[in-house]
Amino acid sequence: METKNYLQIALLLLFCFELCRTKATFTVKPKEKLIMFVMPEHCFDTLINKHQISKECFTITLSKGLGMGIILGSVLVKVPQIIKILKSKSADGIAVSSFYPEILMSLLGCGYNIHFNHPFSTYGESAFLFIQNLILVFICWYYSKEVTSIYEIVSVVLSTTLLISLIALDLIPGKVYTFTAFVSLGLLLFARIPQIALNMRNRSTGQLSIITCFLNLAGSLARIYTTLREVSNDTLIISIRTIAASLNGILVLHFFVYKKDAGQQARIKKDT
């Protein structure tokens, strides 16, 4: 894919990202918004006026910096996977069902954090991941050898549209969000286990992109740190993100475990 196309994708995702975060920041003044994204206001004032920064301010600023880095990195985190499918015109070895709970988790993650006023730097990547997972679903439907039923397509599209509307209008109560956080744990397992099981059954990672899987792992590990620093009292979210990092680690490990088997399969295919 040409550089121009990369830029178009990035700009589209940035535009969608801006729409997703508007609700969380529309009441914040420009100066306060800038400080919120860089460091706490009292740390900012101490740094400017006294030219000093405490250990606490340093760690929280590092956490926010990591968080913003994760958000910026998430703009293209799944683009390598999208490109790999488009180039090969094949979705072989991709469990499209694994993207459905990821879409739901991304949306619920945005809604949960916005509703409970968590810092944007702790969840902003969810908007980008939602958009990219949605793109992956559509191209997997298109390139899959197995015909996707109309019922499945309509169900995914309608349920996604409905959930976006409920979140945008803030019609989901806080108690429901707390419950959905528990549900997210089940969705997380449902999102990763089918792909892990498929890899183990085929003894191959198929069309999975190692770049995307590695970025997912790196992002989830960094996200554990930022969550511990900024919302350490939310043990549920911390637990979910720890499990997510573990499952992402298993997928990355598969690329090394099944590398030899993949090479043998490629040679057999070439000989035949």
Side-chain angles (χ1 to χ4, degrees):
M1 185 176 285
E2 297 178 357
T3 303
K4 181 181 179 181
N5 293 333
Y6 278 110
L7 293 175
Q8 288 174 343
I9 293 173
L11 288 173
L12 174 62
L13 293 176
L14 282 170
F15 172 74
C16 294
F17 157 78
E18 195 67 27
L19 290 178
C20 290
R21 77 180 181 86
T22 297
K23 184 179 183 298
T25 59
F26 73 97
T27 59
V28 182
K29 296 178 181 179
K31 179 184 176 182
E32 293 173 342
K33 185 188 297 185
L34 176 63
I35 295 172
M36 177 182 68
F37 283 139
V38 177
M39 62 176 63
E41 187 172 359
H42 71 279
C43 295
F44 184 83
D45 291 337
T46 301
L47 180 63
I48 295 300
N49 298 325
K50 299 182 180 180
H51 306 291
Q52 297 177 349
I53 184 167
S54 65
K55 181 180 178 181
E56 179 186 358
C57 287
F58 174 78
T59 55
I60 195 66
T61 302
L62 175 63
S63 175
K64 285 185 176 292
L66 277 174
M68 295 309 297
I70 293 170
I71 293 170
L72 292 174
S74 70
V75 175
L76 298 174
V77 69
K78 294 204 172 188
V79 169
Q81 181 67 79
I82 293 171
I83 292 172
K84 189 170 184 179
I85 295 174
L86 292 175
K87 279 188 173 181
S88 64
K89 296 183 179 180
S90 170
D92 290 349
I94 304 294
V96 67
S97 60
S98 68
F99 297 123
Y100 299 159
E102 284 197 48
I103 288 173
L104 184 55
M105 283 190 298
S106 296
L107 283 175
L108 291 176
C110 283
Y112 178 96
N113 286 283
I114 290 173
H115 185 83
F116 289 106
N117 296 315
H118 286 171
F120 179 74
S121 57
T122 65
Y123 71 89
E125 75 279 2
S126 294
F128 287 132
L129 294 177
F130 160 70
I131 296 167
Q132 292 169 83
N133 281 321
L134 201 59
I135 293 172
L136 280 168
V137 165
F138 283 121
I139 63 176
C140 282
W141 282 344
Y142 185 80
Y143 287 113
S144 177
K145 292 180 180 178
E146 298 180 5
V147 178
T148 306
S149 69
I150 294 297
Y151 173 78
E152 181 177 341
I153 294 174
V154 172
S155 297
V156 172
V157 172
L158 288 182
S159 59
T160 301
T161 304
L162 176 61
L163 186 55
I164 291 174
S165 301
L166 292 174
I167 291 173
L169 297 173
D170 197 22
L171 296 178
I172 301 178
K175 291 182 178 180
V176 175
Y177 272 125
T178 301
F179 172 74
T180 59
F182 283 99
V183 174
S184 293
L185 181 57
L187 291 173
L188 174 62
L189 297 174
F190 183 64
R192 290 289 182 263
I193 288 178
Q195 187 64 63
I196 291 172
L198 184 63
N199 291 349
M200 295 175 68
R201 186 168 61 250
N202 294 340
R203 300 192 64 81
S204 169
T205 53
Q207 293 299 321
L208 274 182
S209 168
I210 188 173
I211 298 175
T212 293
C213 290
F214 180 79
L215 289 175
N216 281 335
L217 174 60
S220 57
L221 289 173
R223 183 52 78 203
I224 291 173
Y225 174 78
T226 61
T227 305
L228 285 170
R229 288 300 312 168
E230 299 190 56
V231 285
S232 58
N233 60 328
D234 198 329
T235 55
L236 179 58
I237 294 298
I238 294 171
S239 299
I240 290 173
R241 288 177 172 171
T242 301
I243 295 172
S246 301
L247 295 173
N248 287 331
I250 293 174
L251 284 176
V252 170
L253 184 62
H254 279 180
F255 283 94
F256 300 96
V257 172
Y258 298 127
K259 183 178 181 181
K260 183 177 179 180
D261 291 337
Q264 290 176 347
Q265 291 177 11
R267 287 192 295 271
I268 293 173
K269 187 176 181 180
K270 183 178 180 179
D271 293 337
T272 56

